[in-house]
Amino acid sequence: MTLEEVRKQIDAIDTQMKPLFLQRMECARYVAEEKEKTGGNVYVPEREREIIEKRASDVDTDVREEYVTFLKHL
């Protein structure tokens, strides 16, 4: 595969990720609004830790740190 082909593949992946990211942000906004109504904390460190451990457990160690960083920024 050429560098140009890889770049096109990355562009295609980024294009697919954008609507999923926006959808996730909309869900996160809804969660924040609901927690505001009920007085719940928006950020729950224990839940974040559980989610990250679950989702990163099968990620190759070569990129796991980057993936965990990605999840934390979400």
Side-chain angles (χ1 to χ4, degrees):
M1 189 175 286
T2 68
L3 181 59
E4 187 59 33
E5 290 170 330
V6 172
R7 286 178 174 160
K8 285 182 182 181
Q9 188 174 8
I10 289 171
D11 288 345
I13 292 166
D14 289 347
T15 298
Q16 293 172 27
M17 287 175 59
K18 181 181 177 182
L20 292 173
F21 172 79
L22 295 174
Q23 183 179 2
R24 190 185 192 292
M25 291 298 98
E26 182 63 23
C27 290
R29 182 189 61 77
Y30 177 79
V31 168
E33 289 173 354
E34 290 300 310
K35 286 186 175 187
E36 184 178 356
K37 290 177 191 174
T38 63
N41 292 329
V42 173
Y43 175 65
V44 181
E46 301 84 27
R47 175 151 167 76
E48 180 184 75
R49 191 172 28 262
E50 289 173 10
I51 291 169
I52 289 172
E53 286 175 9
K54 180 180 177 182
R55 295 199 180 131
S57 65
D58 63 344
V59 175
D60 189 276
T61 56
D62 291 344
V63 294
R64 184 174 294 138
E65 185 176 332
E66 288 83 356
Y67 184 64
V68 167
T69 299
F70 171 73
L71 291 175
K72 285 181 178 182
H73 280 92
L74 287 176

